[in-house]
Amino acid sequence: VNEIKLPFKTIEWKNGKLTLIDQRLLPGRVQYVDYGNYRDVIVAVKNLTVRGAPAIGVAAAYAMVLASAELIMTGNADYMAKMEAASREIGAARPTAVNLRWAVDRIRKIIGDNSASTPRKIHELIEAEAIEIETEDKQLCLAMGSHGAELIDGNDGIMTHCNAGALATAGIGTALGVIYTAAFSDKKIKVYSTETRPLDQGRRLTTWELAASGLDVTLLCDNMAASLMSSGAIDKVIVGADRIAANGDTANKIGTYNIAIIADRFGIPFYVAAPYSTIDLNTADGTEIPIEFRDTNEIADVTGYAGIRGNISIYAPAFDVTPNSLITGYITDKGVIKSADIKELFAA
Amino acid sequence: VNEIKLPFKTIEWKNGKLTLIDQRLLPGRVQYVDYGNYRDVIVAVKNLTVRGAPAIGVAAAYAMVLASAELIMTGNADYMAKMEAASREIGAARPTAVNLRWAVDRIRKIIGDNSASTPRKIHELIEAEAIEIETEDKQLCLAMGSHGAELIDGNDGIMTHCNAGALATAGIGTALGVIYTAAFSDKKIKVYSTETRPLDQGRRLTTWELAASGLDVTLLCDNMAASLMSSGAIDKVIVGADRIAANGDTANKIGTYNIAIIADRFGIPFYVAAPYSTIDLNTADGTEIPIEFRDTNEIADVTGYAGIRGNISIYAPAFDVTPNSLITGYITDKGVIKSADIKELFAA
């Protein structure tokens, strides 16, 4: 495997400042923004400046560090209660991705375990923990890439959905991490990225990051999956995950379920690539995963339609839940778990 | 059944002029454009000012009449050869819809059958034939609506794709004609329209024409079909068709095949509504239907992407082919044909 060097950084912590690539400006412009205030990071999470479950988790951890820094700087005596309040604010920034609360809870645990220490000492410990979360995320991506790449053959056509890439993590990505690892070990692969309506993360982010990194990528509209699969161009599907229930049902960007059903019909293997922090043992199955519905204006503003007498509504879920039965396997940092084995493995 | 009155006209022939509603400006603006030159009608067909297989057929018939009028007005002696040349130009405006060439051929037959007559006499006959094609289209829509509405139950949730509506025909539409007929006979139904990327005919046209006509419609992105169907909201799918092969394989707007596969998984009946002129007995099955690929800029312009080193391609088919096996039935002007019966019926 050659070293995987990508020409951009999604998230960086340096001198007490968080730097994020502004994903809303891609693919037209590469711009980095510095954050010194945790409230601004919450806004960045909400408005999708940073998105992707693992990246949100890392950003949330650093947001906790920024909240702590602010309290220490202002000499606030109410450190524990204020940090608890900040953790609630940060944890509520988006509802579906489990990594967000998982990361916040790791920081909270450090605070709780060291409640006898001074705020300054706690601050040092949580900054170290946030850096550890980021480092782990990078390592998890490399591990997933390494396990997943073994599933990829030379000349494979691989379809992916949304952006489960380096832009969604602190490392090389989950689904795209597998693709990068295969491509940087000189497997000639063709990647097919859906547009991913309504926010077009596939068109804006996945095609950009793959092509910026030198890969060969083809864009398609979400509704072209059956046409493309019927043509024989697709050998595998690899997507990311926002939450995996204990039974393997997987919440991921809206449209994933469509693709899984279509891949199943054509007998094309369908893989979910995600780190262990995505698996939520507190969620028994997909029916328990809360689905975020977003602003319908992200799909269309129907107020300007001429001469309307009836009623126009808009269905705007941000995620859907693909049942375990449609998933061939889970590419995790611990290895590839076959569909049928997941319950057993995570019960242990 | 109450009389179905819609608040717009897709296509109108009056005093030797063709009037089209400019579908590129919907849903924001309702504007009618007059055409006195057949070449402008070809442009209108190509640039989607008018679209929908039956509407294109009617427009093409009137384009032939306009070509004839021009020849007569300029006293051209070479009438037969020039009309043959015009028929080739008009017939080539778009490649997939069979109605276009079917309508042109009906006009050509009148010309051929009356080659001993004067151009002026032939002109009268072909204008009458074009009007007959339009009248037939309206009647076919009403007949399809009447047969199809029997399949619709009160409180049905009906998904449709693209625009197989009044905007796609000279009448009340094919798939939407069924929906209008059910709604105007006081069945309370909810219609779900996909966005229909990349040209958004569902978002721009179907939601507009249904809501302008007083119906209740919900817009969804193409990739939300599985999510919505899994919620139980959809009882039936009804779509149009650009060409139906003799074995029932059906070419329709890209994305139809996606929806058919997903509907099949959820056990939701999937109907194709189309007039007999859509059935092409010269096409044995779906593999023989030519698929138009459109300008990739309709999906995205990737030339402005920052820092690209690799290659970005775009897959841009305008249609896909849904196999007969996924289609519950065909709603035609002759009645509803069950999936298994189509070969038999059209062999007769």
Side-chain angles (χ1 to χ4, degrees):
Chain A
V1 182
N2 304 318
E3 193 193 355
I4 300 170
K5 289 208 69 168
L6 306 183
F8 59 93
K9 277 183 184 166
T10 300
I11 193 160
E12 192 173 29
W13 178 256
K14 212 165 159 182
N15 304 327
K17 285 258 188 303
L18 180 67
T19 303
L20 300 173
I21 192 170
D22 190 339
Q23 303 199 25
R24 298 169 306 165
L25 303 181
L26 293 171
R29 207 162 125 210
V30 178
Q31 185 172 302
Y32 293 93
V33 184
D34 292 337
Y35 293 85
N37 183 308
Y38 81 95
R39 292 171 201 87
D40 294 338
V41 180
I42 292 175
V43 172
V45 168
K46 285 188 173 173
N47 72 18
L48 311 180
T49 299
V50 60
R51 26 68 53 204
I56 289 173
V58 174
Y62 285 124
M64 289 290 284
V65 182
L66 291 174
S68 166
E70 181 180 311
L71 291 173
I72 287 167
M73 209 157 56
T74 57
N76 195 304
D78 214 9
Y79 183 84
M80 299 298 285
K82 292 260 169 96
M83 282 305 287
E84 188 59 22
S87 77
R88 278 196 300 272
E89 282 179 72
I90 296 165
R94 288 190 70 191
T96 300
V98 72
N99 305 53
L100 177 65
R101 279 184 299 283
W102 170 86
V104 168
D105 284 345
R106 271 185 65 167
I107 302 293
R108 279 179 67 229
K109 185 171 185 327
I110 300 291
I111 299 171
D113 289 353
N114 295 279
S115 56
S117 302
T118 62
R120 193 165 291 274
K121 178 64 191 163
I122 295 174
H123 182 78
E124 275 173 29
L125 293 170
I126 66 174
E127 179 172 9
E129 184 72 1
I131 291 169
E132 176 62 18
I133 288 172
E134 180 186 349
T135 304
E136 283 176 18
D137 186 48
K138 287 180 174 159
Q139 289 166 342
L140 293 169
C141 288
L142 291 172
M144 277 180 272
S146 170
H147 292 303
E150 292 176 20
L151 301 168
I152 309 300
D153 297 308
N155 298 311
D156 265 358
I158 302 172
M159 185 180 285
T160 188
H161 184 60
C162 195
N163 178 268
L167 288 169
T169 65
I172 59 168
T174 57
L176 299 194
V178 173
I179 285 168
Y180 285 125
T181 307
F184 278 76
S185 49
D186 301 325
K187 281 176 185 164
K188 202 173 146 56
I189 54 180
K190 263 183 90 69
V191 188
Y192 294 84
S193 168
T194 58
E195 191 174 41
T196 319
R197 286 287 296 154
L199 294 181
D200 295 350
Q201 292 92 337
R203 178 182 63 74
R204 293 187 299 106
L205 305 178
T206 296
T207 62
W208 178 80
E209 76 161 84
L210 290 173
S213 303
L215 275 69
D216 181 336
V217 58
T218 299
L219 175 66
L220 63 145
C221 296
D222 299 83
N223 64 16
M224 296 170 184
S227 166
L228 188 59
M229 288 184 184
S230 74
S231 80
I234 305 301
D235 299 291
K236 273 128 200 168
V237 178
I238 309 178
V239 299
D242 286 78
R243 191 186 304 202
I244 301 174
N247 75 338
D249 293 351
T250 297
N252 191 45
K253 180 58 54 195
I254 184 71
T256 303
Y257 195 4
N258 271 30
I259 296 172
I261 291 171
I262 297 164
D264 181 64
R265 173 151 183 111
F266 289 104
I268 296 170
F270 183 97
Y271 294 101
V272 169
Y276 68 86
S277 60
T278 313
I279 299 162
D280 183 8
L281 298 179
N282 295 321
T283 303
D285 61 39
T287 63
E288 291 184 8
I289 302 177
I291 298 297
E292 176 185 5
F293 279 73
R294 292 187 60 88
D295 187 336
T296 58
N297 283 323
E298 288 181 352
I299 296 176
D301 173 8
V302 299
T303 57
Y305 284 24
I308 296 302
R309 296 190 292 130
N311 183 43
I312 302 182
S313 307
I314 298 180
Y315 183 65
F319 303 93
D320 56 25
V321 178
T322 300
N324 167 259
S325 59
L326 291 173
I327 297 167
T328 308
Y330 303 81
I331 301 167
T332 79
D333 43 293
K334 301 185 181 185
V336 178
I337 306 163
K338 284 185 196 155
S339 180
D341 296 342
I342 191 161
K343 288 178 218 184
E344 202 177 326
L345 190 114
F346 291 106
Chain B
V1 181
N2 303 318
E3 193 194 356
I4 300 169
K5 287 206 74 169
L6 306 183
F8 59 92
K9 276 182 184 166
T10 299
I11 193 162
E12 191 173 29
W13 178 256
K14 211 167 161 180
N15 304 328
K17 285 258 188 302
L18 180 68
T19 303
L20 301 173
I21 192 170
D22 189 339
Q23 304 199 25
R24 298 169 307 167
L25 303 181
L26 292 171
R29 204 162 129 211
V30 178
Q31 185 171 303
Y32 293 93
V33 184
D34 292 336
Y35 292 86
N37 183 308
Y38 82 93
R39 291 172 203 87
D40 294 337
V41 179
I42 292 175
V43 171
V45 168
K46 285 188 174 173
N47 72 18
L48 311 180
T49 299
V50 61
R51 28 66 52 205
I56 288 173
V58 174
Y62 286 123
M64 288 290 283
V65 181
L66 291 174
S68 167
E70 182 180 310
L71 291 173
I72 287 166
M73 208 157 58
T74 56
N76 196 303
D78 214 10
Y79 184 83
M80 299 298 286
K82 292 260 168 93
M83 282 305 288
E84 188 58 24
S87 76
R88 277 196 301 272
E89 281 180 74
I90 296 165
R94 288 191 69 193
T96 300
V98 71
N99 305 51
L100 177 64
R101 277 183 300 284
W102 171 87
V104 169
D105 284 345
R106 270 182 66 167
I107 303 292
R108 278 179 67 229
K109 185 171 184 328
I110 300 291
I111 299 172
D113 290 351
N114 295 278
S115 58
S117 302
T118 62
R120 191 164 293 274
K121 177 66 191 161
I122 294 174
H123 182 78
E124 275 173 29
L125 292 170
I126 66 175
E127 179 173 8
E129 183 74 2
I131 291 170
E132 175 62 21
I133 288 171
E134 180 187 349
T135 304
E136 282 176 17
D137 186 47
K138 287 179 174 159
Q139 289 167 344
L140 292 169
C141 287
L142 291 172
M144 276 179 276
S146 170
H147 292 303
E150 292 177 21
L151 300 168
I152 309 301
D153 297 308
N155 298 311
D156 265 358
I158 303 172
M159 184 179 286
T160 190
H161 183 60
C162 194
N163 177 268
L167 288 169
T169 65
I172 60 169
T174 57
L176 299 194
V178 173
I179 286 168
Y180 285 124
T181 307
F184 278 76
S185 49
D186 302 324
K187 281 177 184 161
K188 204 173 144 57
I189 54 180
K190 266 184 86 70
V191 188
Y192 294 85
S193 169
T194 58
E195 191 173 42
T196 319
R197 286 285 297 153
L199 294 181
D200 295 349
Q201 292 93 337
R203 177 181 64 73
R204 293 187 298 107
L205 304 178
T206 295
T207 62
W208 178 80
E209 75 160 85
L210 290 174
S213 304
L215 275 71
D216 181 336
V217 57
T218 298
L219 175 66
L220 63 145
C221 296
D222 299 83
N223 64 18
M224 296 169 182
S227 166
L228 188 59
M229 287 184 185
S230 74
S231 79
I234 305 301
D235 299 291
K236 274 130 199 164
V237 178
I238 309 178
V239 299
D242 287 79
R243 191 185 306 199
I244 302 174
N247 75 337
D249 292 351
T250 297
N252 191 44
K253 182 58 53 194
I254 185 71
T256 304
Y257 194 4
N258 272 31
I259 296 171
I261 290 170
I262 296 163
D264 181 65
R265 175 154 182 107
F266 289 104
I268 296 169
F270 183 97
Y271 294 101
V272 169
Y276 68 86
S277 60
T278 313
I279 300 162
D280 183 8
L281 299 178
N282 295 321
T283 302
D285 62 38
T287 62
E288 292 184 8
I289 301 177
I291 298 297
E292 175 184 6
F293 279 71
R294 292 187 60 89
D295 187 336
T296 59
N297 283 323
E298 287 181 354
I299 296 176
D301 173 8
V302 299
T303 57
Y305 284 24
I308 295 304
R309 297 189 294 128
N311 183 43
I312 302 182
S313 307
I314 298 180
Y315 182 65
F319 302 92
D320 57 23
V321 177
T322 300
N324 166 258
S325 60
L326 291 173
I327 297 167
T328 308
Y330 303 81
I331 301 167
T332 78
D333 43 293
K334 302 185 182 186
V336 178
I337 306 163
K338 283 186 196 152
S339 181
D341 297 343
I342 191 163
K343 287 178 217 181
E344 202 178 325
L345 190 113
F346 291 106

